[in-house]
């Protein structure tokens, strides 16, 4: 499979015209290096995981930077965060020269600390996710969007097994002081069984024999490495007593399917997790759309104490909300719109639109009205519509 163009490219190119440095963060193996090499083919490339490079930087960081050709891609810069200060000095000497420092990193939170202290105002920070359905039709609910799995779905199980081991050994150990990685691996499996549910830390801590603060720390590790998405409840209650707990999804549907032991569409269709897997797939695709465009990353859900629940509430600018229900079905019935209509009647401060997202394929040129005020969309047509707004 040839290079797959990424939707974040235009945003990346624009930033390179206005900022001396760019930091591209994101989950491991999401394609950061491939993207930068493709968009900036003349850039010099240095991998900061190479032991020889690490040794050279440790001995003489100034000399190392002096010998670089610009523009330069410094890959996995979280391994040598002390370089930020030296790069800042060089940027300040020639602040008018844009697009000279192209940085990647897999561990967002530790990187952010270095940036806050050394690089604030000097670089654009962007986040890349695995491939989206808008970038290739080969992204699927079963396999997810990691490029290697998209290219070679037959080796998905082997790839995910290796990926988890690499993630545990490199990213997790680099962020959290976890003594027993086998327990953390069990935690990931347990968390997969809670995919799409409201977060209950006590419920997670008890079967693992760890404390709630430990669960909080582990969740933070997964979140800052972009493995999970935490979706908070919408902050307004619309005259109702809304719940306060967030919901949790894995970012990549292929990874959570692997953790749940779902290895075929036949198994998935029979699985009790099918509905929440599709719901999480929609959440991930919306987050990718927001990260790839010029929108803020904002995704919420609504649920009140009487049981009224709407899967997603998406702000659409001043005074506008998009209400979304995700249904893992190709057969739509008007009753599916009832939660959306009930919530809409409670909202008077916003202009609302209601959409049922399903797993079929529609003619995007035709609005399928499911019920008064509610239209149906497949995932791709929903995302195309969001880009057009």
């Amino acid at each position: 499979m040839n290079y797959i163009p990424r939707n974040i490219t235009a945003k990346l190119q624009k930033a390179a015209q206005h900022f001396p440095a760019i930091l591209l963060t994101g989950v491991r193996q999401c394609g950061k290096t491939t993207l930068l090499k493709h968009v900036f083919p003349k850039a010099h490339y240095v991998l900061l995981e190479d032991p020889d490079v690490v040794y050279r930087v440790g001995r003489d960081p100034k000399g190392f930077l002096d010998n670089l050709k610009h523009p330069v891609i410094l890959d996995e810069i979280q391994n040598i965060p002390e370089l930020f200060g030296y790069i800042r000095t060089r940027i300040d000497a020639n602040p008018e020269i844009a697009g000279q420092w192209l940085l990647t990193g897999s561990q967002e939170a530790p990187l952010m600390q270095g940036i806050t202290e050394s690089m604030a105002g000097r670089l654009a920070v962007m986040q890349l996710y695995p491939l989206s359905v808008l970038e290739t039709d080969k992204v699927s609910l079963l396999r997810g969007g990691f490029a290697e799995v998209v290219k070679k779905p037959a080796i998905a199980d082997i790839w995910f097994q290796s990926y988890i081991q690499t993630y545990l050994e490199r990213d997790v150990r680099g962020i959290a002081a976890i003594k027993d990685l086998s327990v953390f691996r069990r935690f990931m499996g347990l968390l997969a069984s809670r995919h799409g549910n409201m977060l209950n830390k006590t419920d997670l801590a008890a079967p693992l024999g760890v404390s709630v603060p430990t669960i909080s720390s582990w969740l933070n590790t997964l979140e800052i490495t972009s493995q999970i998405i935490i979706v908070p409840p919408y902050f307004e209650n619309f005259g109702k007593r809304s719940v306060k707990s967030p919901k949790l999804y894995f970012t990549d549907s292929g990874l959570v399917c692997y953790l749940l032991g779902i290895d075929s569409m036949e198994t998935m269709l029979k699985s009790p997790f099918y509905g929440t897997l599709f719901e999480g797939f929609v959440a991930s695709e919306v987050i990718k759309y927001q990260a790839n465009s010029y929108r803020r990353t904002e995704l919420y859900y609504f649920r009140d104490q009487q049981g009224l629940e709407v899967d997603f509430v998406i702000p659409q600018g001043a005074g506008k909300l998009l209400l979304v229900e995700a249904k893992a079905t190709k057969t739509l019935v008007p009753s599916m719109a009832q939660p959306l209509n009930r919530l809409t009647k409670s909202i008077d401060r916003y202009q609302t639109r209601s959409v049922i997202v399903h797993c079929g394929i529609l003619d995007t040129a035709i609005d399928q009205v499911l019920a008064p005020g509610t239209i149906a969309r497949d995932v791709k047509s929903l995302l195309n519509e969001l880009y057009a707004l």
Side-chain angles (χ1 to χ4, degrees), residues 35-52:
L35 172 62
L36 289 180
K37 284 184 173 181
H38 184 84
V39 176
F40 306 101
K42 296 182 180 180
H44 183 52
Y45 175 78
V46 181
L47 176 60
L48 297 181
E49 288 183 326
D50 187 314
D52 291 338

Side-chain angles (χ1 to χ4, degrees), residues 51-125:
D52 291 338
V53 173
V54 174
Y55 177 74
R56 283 163 49 206
V57 175
R59 289 194 62 188
D60 185 8
K62 290 184 179 180
F64 169 78
L65 293 177
D66 286 342
N67 289 326
L68 294 177
K69 298 177 182 179
H70 290 272
V72 61
I73 299 170
L74 296 180
D75 203 359
E76 302 290 3
I77 196 168
Q78 79 277 354
N79 293 306
I80 315 179
E82 56 269 24
L83 278 179
F84 282 131
Y86 294 103
I87 293 173
R88 179 195 61 192
T89 300
R90 282 160 171 74
I91 289 175
D92 290 347
N94 296 284
E96 72 285 352
I97 303 178
Q100 296 298 292
W101 302 90
L102 310 169
L103 318 174
T104 82
S106 298
Q107 300 171 8
E108 188 170 346
L111 280 175
M112 292 303 107
Q113 182 178 358
I115 291 167
T116 300
E117 297 172 353
S118 302
M119 299 284 284
R122 298 171 176 87
L123 87 170
V125 180

Side-chain angles (χ1 to χ4, degrees), residues 43-271:
H44 183 52
Y45 175 78
V46 181
L47 176 60
L48 297 181
E49 288 183 326
D50 187 314
D52 291 338
V53 173
V54 174
Y55 177 74
R56 283 163 49 206
V57 175
R59 289 194 62 188
D60 185 8
K62 290 184 179 180
F64 169 78
L65 293 177
D66 286 342
N67 289 326
L68 294 177
K69 298 177 182 179
H70 290 272
V72 61
I73 299 170
L74 296 180
D75 203 359
E76 302 290 3
I77 196 168
Q78 79 277 354
N79 293 306
I80 315 179
E82 56 269 24
L83 278 179
F84 282 131
Y86 294 103
I87 293 173
R88 179 195 61 192
T89 300
R90 282 160 171 74
I91 289 175
D92 290 347
N94 296 284
E96 72 285 352
I97 303 178
Q100 296 298 292
W101 302 90
L102 310 169
L103 318 174
T104 82
S106 298
Q107 300 171 8
E108 188 170 346
L111 280 175
M112 292 303 107
Q113 182 178 358
I115 291 167
T116 300
E117 297 172 353
S118 302
M119 299 284 284
R122 298 171 176 87
L123 87 170
V125 180
M126 301 183 186
Q127 186 163 11
L128 185 67
Y129 285 90
L131 290 161
S132 165
V133 294
L134 289 184
E135 293 169 326
T136 173
D137 289 334
K138 295 185 181 296
V139 171
S140 70
L141 179 58
L142 178 64
R143 298 305 185 197
F146 283 107
E148 291 303 313
V149 177
V150 168
K151 294 175 182 177
K152 302 174 183 178
I155 63 165
D157 287 353
I158 298 173
W159 190 89
F160 280 121
Q161 180 183 26
S162 300
Y163 178 83
I164 290 175
Q165 189 61 41
T166 300
Y167 168 69
L168 291 175
E169 291 293 341
R170 298 169 75 177
D171 287 353
V172 172
R173 281 197 186 277
I175 296 174
I178 297 176
K179 297 178 180 179
D180 190 343
L181 286 177
S182 65
V183 178
F184 190 86
R185 172 61 178 81
R186 286 170 50 210
F187 164 68
M188 290 182 67
L190 181 63
L191 202 62
S193 70
R194 308 300 195 270
H195 177 81
N197 293 340
M198 287 192 293
L199 183 58
N200 185 327
K201 297 178 183 179
T202 302
D203 179 53
L204 292 168
L208 296 173
V210 299
S211 67
V212 170
T214 294
I215 293 295
S216 297
S217 173
W218 290 357
L219 287 168
N220 183 60
T221 297
L222 290 174
E223 186 177 15
I224 65 177
T225 54
S226 304
Q227 299 291 345
I228 59 173
I229 300 168
I230 302 295
V231 178
Y234 195 66
F235 48 84
E236 292 191 36
N237 60 22
F238 303 126
K240 300 174 179 290
R241 297 182 64 188
S242 56
V243 300
K244 304 301 182 184
S245 299
K247 292 177 74 173
L248 179 144
Y249 302 95
F250 274 77
T251 304
D252 187 74
S253 61
L255 177 60
V256 71
C257 282
Y258 172 78
L259 290 168
L260 291 171
I262 298 173
D263 58 2
S264 69
M265 280 305 301
E266 182 181 5
T267 303
M268 176 181 288
L269 292 173
K270 296 177 180 178
S271 170

Side-chain angles (χ1 to χ4, degrees), residues 239-243 302-309 342:
K240 300 174 179 290
R241 297 182 64 188
S242 56
V243 300
F302 180 87
R303 181 172 181 175
D304 67 20
Q305 295 183 1
Q306 285 71 48
L308 173 59
E309 182 169 358
R342 287 175 58 193

